[in-house]
């Protein structure tokens, strides 16, 4: 059970339809924020373009003995004494699937953060869609939007989120094909065993995964003292602590152990795990995700996105 605040401000649990309408009302502003975030970090980035089978010109390079003569570009070769072939750009046949949790626990926002976990998750989702679309990638969202390759993909994803009537605490991942990428953004507050049971099968199918844990700082540091009532946003279950500070060490140990368990097991499956705190800029999480998707991962980018 995650802490939700002092007894003076109980949190009401809205039904799914009300939550969907509230999120839809926020999406236009979140899209603007996402595009701003994308613009601050996109300079100098490129898509995963490389040599291969495709329709677009990539580069000229010297002819290698044994290659088919049909690949020689005779016009370019006539300019000097070398023989050149015309390479085409490799076109990725897979899709990058993006999903952000919309369950009640994502609505949490403590006094230590300026935004809710849900708002930050949607901003990162749309900002990543913006960056990937500008890079020419094909993106989709399970249960929300079918795969598309378009410069306005982030706007189309935002519209799809606004029109979404049903919410689920977990996406259907059966449509995601082998060698595709999936980015999952959530607080992952379920028991580690539950999270791993959901993710292990798709990881073993050959799907590349990138898991972004969204964490309100209060959920990690547990800054509560005195008589405090905690409410589970998913079930409404309540827990009243006479002296909340006495729970600090046990709570923090359990919270961090759950995270470490999930992260370690996902890495064994070849997936990336990143933690992002809502009191930090969204751009840090965007940079970390894009770096992992690009396959350029340094030791300093593994683990937590500040």
């Amino acid at each position: 059970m995650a802490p939700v605040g002092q007894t003076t401000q109980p949190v009401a649990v809205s039904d799914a339809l009300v939550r969907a309408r509230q999120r839809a009302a926020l999406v236009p502003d979140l899209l603007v924020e996402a595009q701003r975030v994308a613009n601050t970090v996109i300079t100098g980035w490129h898509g995963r373009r490389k040599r291969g089978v495709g329709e677009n010109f990539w580069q000229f390079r010297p002819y290698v003995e044994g290659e088919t003569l049909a690949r020689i570009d005779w016009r370019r070769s006539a300019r000097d004494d070398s023989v050149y072939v015309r390479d085409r750009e490799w076109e990725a046949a897979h899709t990058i699937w993006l999903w952000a949790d919309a369950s009640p626990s994502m609505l949490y926002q403590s006094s230590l953060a300026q935004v809710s976990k849900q708002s930050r998750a949607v901003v990162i989702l749309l900002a990543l869609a913006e960056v990937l679309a500008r890079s020419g990638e094909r993106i989709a969202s399970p249960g929300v939007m079918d795969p598309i390759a378009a410069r306005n993909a982030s706007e189309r994803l935002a519209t799809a989120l606004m029109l979404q009537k049903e919410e689920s605490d977990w996406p259907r991942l059966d449509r995601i094909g082998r060698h595709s990428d999936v980015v999952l953004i959530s607080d992952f507050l379920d028991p580690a065993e539950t999270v791993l049971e959901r993710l292990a099968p798709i990881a073993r199918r050959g799907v590349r995964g990138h898991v972004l844990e969204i964490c309100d700082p209060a959920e990690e540091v547990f800054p509560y003292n005195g008589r405090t009532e905690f409410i589970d946003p998913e079930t409404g279950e309540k827990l009243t602590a006479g002296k909340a500070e006495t729970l600090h060490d046990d709570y923090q140990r359990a919270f961090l152990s759950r995270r470490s368990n999930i992260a370690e097991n996902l890495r064994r499956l070849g997936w990336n795990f990143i933690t992002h705190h809502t009191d930090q800029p969204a751009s840090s999480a965007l940079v970390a995700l894009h770096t992992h998707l690009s396959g350029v991962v340094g030791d300093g980018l593994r683990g937590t996105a500040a």
Side-chain angles (χ1 to χ4, degrees):
M1 184 183 299
V4 297
Q6 305 296 116
T7 55
T8 54
Q9 296 292 335
V11 177
V13 180
S14 303
D15 60 41
L17 181 58
V18 171
R19 292 198 307 272
R21 289 173 175 170
Q22 291 174 337
R23 183 177 62 168
L26 290 173
V27 167
D29 289 339
L30 296 180
L31 175 60
V32 173
E33 173 66 10
Q35 291 174 333
R36 184 194 66 78
V37 171
N39 286 334
T40 63
V41 298
I42 199 170
T43 304
W45 284 1
H46 303 282
R48 296 171 297 170
R49 299 171 63 211
K50 59 184 179 181
R51 191 177 71 219
V53 179
E55 297 181 357
N56 299 322
F57 169 72
W58 172 239
Q59 65 179 356
F60 291 115
R61 63 173 176 80
Y63 170 78
V64 176
E65 186 175 356
E67 291 186 279
T68 175
L69 297 179
R71 299 192 60 190
I72 296 176
D73 189 292
W74 297 107
R75 179 177 298 178
R76 174 65 183 86
S77 300
R79 297 179 187 175
D80 52 38
D81 296 331
S82 298
V83 178
Y84 292 94
V85 297
R86 184 184 183 92
D87 272 338
R88 297 185 183 279
E89 180 183 347
W90 175 76
E91 296 178 349
H94 72 275
T95 299
I96 302 175
W97 295 79
L98 311 176
W99 176 80
D101 188 357
S103 60
S105 68
M106 295 293 288
L107 296 173
Y108 179 61
Q109 176 185 344
S110 74
S111 60
L112 302 181
Q114 294 184 350
V115 297
S116 69
K117 293 186 290 183
Q118 183 184 82
S119 292
R120 179 54 55 82
V122 173
V123 165
I124 294 172
L125 181 85
L126 295 176
L128 185 57
E130 179 77 10
V131 170
L132 293 172
R134 295 190 196 183
S135 300
E137 300 287 359
R138 191 166 180 253
I139 67 172
S141 182
V144 179
M145 185 179 76
D146 290 334
I148 61 170
R151 292 282 292 182
N152 67 339
S154 61
E155 289 94 335
R156 292 169 66 172
L157 178 55
T159 299
L161 289 173
M162 292 174 63
L163 297 177
Q164 187 182 17
K165 294 292 191 297
E166 299 180 0
E167 294 180 347
S168 173
D169 61 350
W170 196 252
R172 289 192 58 182
L173 304 176
D174 50 296
R175 288 188 59 194
I176 301 178
R178 181 178 175 83
H179 301 311
S180 293
D181 287 87
V182 59
V183 177
L184 303 174
I185 306 173
S186 174
D187 53 16
F188 297 101
L189 288 179
D190 288 320
E193 295 76 14
T194 301
V195 174
L196 294 170
E197 284 175 3
R198 290 168 167 172
L199 295 180
I202 186 173
R204 295 191 182 104
R205 251 178 31 219
V207 175
R208 293 180 290 266
H210 315 273
V211 170
L212 180 66
E213 178 198 37
I214 302 292
C215 178
D216 187 288
E219 293 176 317
E220 186 173 293
V221 302
F222 198 83
Y224 303 101
N225 295 284
R227 182 177 177 82
T228 307
E229 182 179 77
F230 302 92
I231 304 175
D232 188 323
E234 306 286 344
T235 66
E237 183 181 355
K238 297 180 181 181
L239 171 67
T240 301
K243 293 184 178 180
E245 62 271 21
T246 64
L247 303 176
H248 176 275
D249 291 348
D250 288 340
Y251 168 87
Q252 198 170 62
R253 188 180 302 111
F255 187 88
L256 297 178
S257 175
R258 174 199 54 81
R259 173 188 292 166
S260 177
N261 190 352
I262 294 173
E264 183 61 31
N265 279 279
L266 287 180
R267 286 177 183 138
R268 289 175 182 172
L269 293 169
W271 281 33
N272 300 310
F273 183 90
I274 305 166
T275 294
H276 173 73
H277 299 87
T278 53
D279 61 340
Q280 298 297 315
S283 57
S284 62
L286 180 60
V287 169
L289 281 172
H290 189 273
T291 301
H292 282 297
L293 283 164
S294 300
V296 183
V297 183
D299 292 337
L301 287 174
R302 290 191 183 276
T304 300

